[in-house]
Amino acid sequence: MNDIKKLVKDITTGIQEKKGSGIVIADMTGVDGAICRYFVICQGNSPLQVEAITESVTDYVRENSGEKPVKVVGLTNALWVAMDYTDVMVHIFVPDLRSYYNLEGLWEDACLTKIPDLE
């Protein structure tokens, strides 16, 4: 479990390196039927920033945890990118789509932790 928490922390740092905002960690361990243990949800202000955050997470996690995502989808338009680290799913949105899909509300049974934006 400590390896998963380190992975979540490394993902969060990768997001913050490119000034990703609105980071929410959803602990799914107590949710029946959940597809993973954690969701990490954040946003970038544009598709270019979403792409930069995705690259930063990939690089930071590989360098610090030795993990690679099993699958990354959504980079074609970079409006919503999903990164699958098996036990952790990363969702990087542009603001409009994040608001529309409202993953935090969809998984309201999960324990949500909001990470303050870096200044």
Side-chain angles (χ1 to χ4, degrees), residues 4-51:
I4 296 171
K5 290 185 178 183
K6 181 183 182 330
L7 177 59
V8 169
K9 182 169 178 18
D10 288 344
I11 289 167
T12 301
T13 301
I15 293 167
Q16 291 173 324
E17 282 193 346
K18 294 299 178 182
K19 301 196 184 317
S21 62
I23 301 170
V24 174
I25 299 168
D27 182 341
M28 311 288 280
T29 55
V31 178
D32 289 337
I35 61 171
C36 61
R37 294 186 182 182
Y38 291 90
F39 272 11
V40 180
I41 306 162
C42 71
Q43 67 189 42
N45 292 320
S46 68
L48 191 61
Q49 187 180 14
V50 167
E51 187 175 336

Side-chain angles (χ1 to χ4, degrees), residues 43-55 74-81 92-95 97:
Q43 67 189 42
N45 292 320
S46 68
L48 191 61
Q49 187 180 14
V50 167
E51 187 175 336
I53 292 167
T54 303
E55 290 175 14
L75 275 173
T76 303
N77 295 325
L79 299 173
W80 173 7
V81 173
I92 309 165
F93 289 95
V94 292
L97 283 182

Side-chain angles (χ1 to χ4, degrees), residues 38-98:
Y38 291 90
F39 272 11
V40 180
I41 306 162
C42 71
Q43 67 189 42
N45 292 320
S46 68
L48 191 61
Q49 187 180 14
V50 167
E51 187 175 336
I53 292 167
T54 303
E55 290 175 14
S56 179
V57 169
T58 300
D59 293 344
Y60 192 86
V61 169
R62 186 174 3 95
E63 291 169 12
N64 292 281
S65 292
E67 299 280 338
K68 291 182 185 178
V70 174
K71 183 90 170 159
V72 176
V73 296
L75 275 173
T76 303
N77 295 325
L79 299 173
W80 173 7
V81 173
M83 305 176 75
D84 182 354
Y85 282 95
T86 308
D87 286 324
V88 181
M89 291 288 298
V90 183
H91 298 275
I92 309 165
F93 289 95
V94 292
D96 290 348
L97 283 182
R98 181 178 186 174

